[in-house]
Amino acid sequence: MKVATIQMVSGSDLSANLAEARILLQSAAQAGAELAVLPEYFCLMGQRDADKLAIQEPFGNGPMQQFLSDCARELGLWLVAGTLPISAPSDPLANAPAGSRVFNSSLVYDPSGACVARYDKMHLFRFDNGVERYDESLVLAAGRQPSTFDLPSVDGHSWRIGLSVCYDLRFPELYRHYAQAGAHLMLVPAAFTHTTGHDHWELLLRARAVENLSFVVAAAQGGLHDNQRRTWGHAMLVDPWGKVLAERAREGAGVVVAELSWELMQQCRSRLPALEHRLL
């Protein structure tokens, strides 16, 4: 199965970000990809965390979701739409009225344009090194459920695909859950900070692939955004043996494509049946 992972440097102009995403998705389709993955926050990297509240949409309705459906249908792609802000209900326990927080949601569209899966980011990023400070819980509501979907590929196999987002990458139990559920591929749309990405991005992606004997495909934000935040980038595809199949090894927008081999995955799992040896 040929898969494209996309790198962007999204800014605070929603229309410009969508236009850029469409160009990159067209490149993915022209390269023969069946599945294309956009990065986290592909639609907006705002000047303030609260900017995403202004563009939130109810699930199943809104111009961003229509855009994604149209792209999938017109380009004939399976499309995993990084993340976009989906409205969350009120939460009296957190003193959060409706509209004050959103889910950071990854939506999946099939080539007919139908939304076939949704994953709300479960683990919310918090980081403070005295210079950079982030706390996603101020505007995001945490998701509660893992999510998979099945993609019947032209290679004759049905690929089970597990969904995750960015900071989830640090929680291996989520990916082990997907492995136990029969996943062959795990997706990680992300906007890793340059600071943490430099030290941990590739290490964590390759670890998740090796320990679960699964492909891992990571889309990324990569560069200096107009809010002066810098993200690490390095969108990549990793095979079940931990080998980086393809990578965008520089900043800036682009598309990285690689062929994922079902036979290679089965060979890895056959010669090292670690998933069968779990004790806990």
Side-chain angles (χ1 to χ4, degrees):
M1 177 173 62
K2 188 172 283 190
V3 177
T5 187
I6 292 173
Q7 184 163 302
M8 297 180 66
V9 192
S10 299
S12 54
D13 184 330
L14 172 61
S15 296
N17 295 332
L18 295 186
E20 178 77 0
R22 184 173 182 86
I23 291 170
L24 294 166
L25 289 169
Q26 288 172 335
S27 296
Q30 290 166 2
E34 287 182 71
L35 169 65
V37 186
L38 288 167
E40 184 181 28
Y41 299 132
F42 77 93
C43 54
L44 189 76
M45 291 283 282
Q47 297 295 321
R48 297 162 298 278
D49 285 345
D51 288 353
K52 58 179 66 70
L53 300 178
I55 65 164
Q56 65 181 289
E57 296 180 355
F59 179 55
N61 182 40
M64 287 186 291
Q65 292 170 83
Q66 188 62 54
F67 164 83
L68 295 165
S69 175
D70 291 345
C71 283
R73 185 183 67 257
E74 293 167 9
L75 298 174
L77 286 169
W78 286 82
L79 171 57
V80 177
T83 66
L84 64 158
I86 296 296
S87 300
S90 61
D91 184 351
L93 294 178
N95 195 29
S100 64
R101 294 195 301 173
V102 291
F103 292 113
N104 194 20
S105 300
S106 188
L107 304 183
V108 182
Y109 294 83
D110 71 13
S112 76
C115 183
V116 296
R118 168 183 172 180
Y119 169 73
D120 299 331
K121 184 178 183 180
M122 295 174 67
H123 301 95
L124 302 184
F125 182 54
R126 184 183 299 168
F127 179 75
D128 185 348
N129 65 358
V131 179
E132 299 172 89
R133 295 177 179 85
Y134 305 99
D135 186 352
E136 290 186 325
S137 67
L138 297 177
V139 294
L140 296 184
R144 299 299 180 192
Q145 296 294 330
S147 178
T148 64
F149 68 100
D150 292 333
L151 190 161
S153 171
V154 296
D155 64 15
H157 301 288
S158 181
W159 292 74
R160 179 155 294 175
I161 300 174
L163 298 171
S164 67
V165 175
C166 200
Y167 189 50
D168 286 332
L169 191 57
R170 296 182 182 275
F171 300 88
E173 60 271 20
L174 175 61
Y175 301 87
R176 181 49 50 90
H177 169 88
Y178 287 141
Q180 290 180 276
H184 313 107
L185 165 61
M186 300 166 187
L187 305 181
V188 192
F192 250 61
T193 70
H194 190 274
T195 302
T196 58
H198 178 274
D199 293 332
H200 299 154
W201 173 247
E202 182 177 328
L203 172 68
L204 289 168
L205 290 170
R206 296 177 68 190
R208 297 295 86 85
V210 168
E211 66 197 9
N212 295 297
L213 293 162
S214 300
F215 288 97
V216 172
V217 171
Q221 296 283 352
L224 183 63
H225 304 265
D226 61 16
N227 61 8
Q228 299 308 301
R229 176 177 174 181
R230 190 179 180 195
T231 47
W232 176 241
H234 292 262
M236 67 176 66
L237 305 94
V238 184
D239 78 11
W241 205 246
K243 177 183 177 182
V244 177
L245 297 174
E247 174 185 8
R248 184 166 180 81
R250 63 184 187 276
E251 294 185 344
V255 179
V256 184
V257 181
E259 187 80 33
L260 308 190
S261 167
W262 182 275
E263 289 72 25
L264 173 64
M265 179 189 61
Q266 295 300 338
Q267 289 170 10
C268 291
R269 293 181 173 188
S270 175
R271 68 192 184 199
L272 180 65
L275 293 175
E276 301 172 16
H277 296 160
R278 289 176 285 111
L279 298 178
L280 299 178

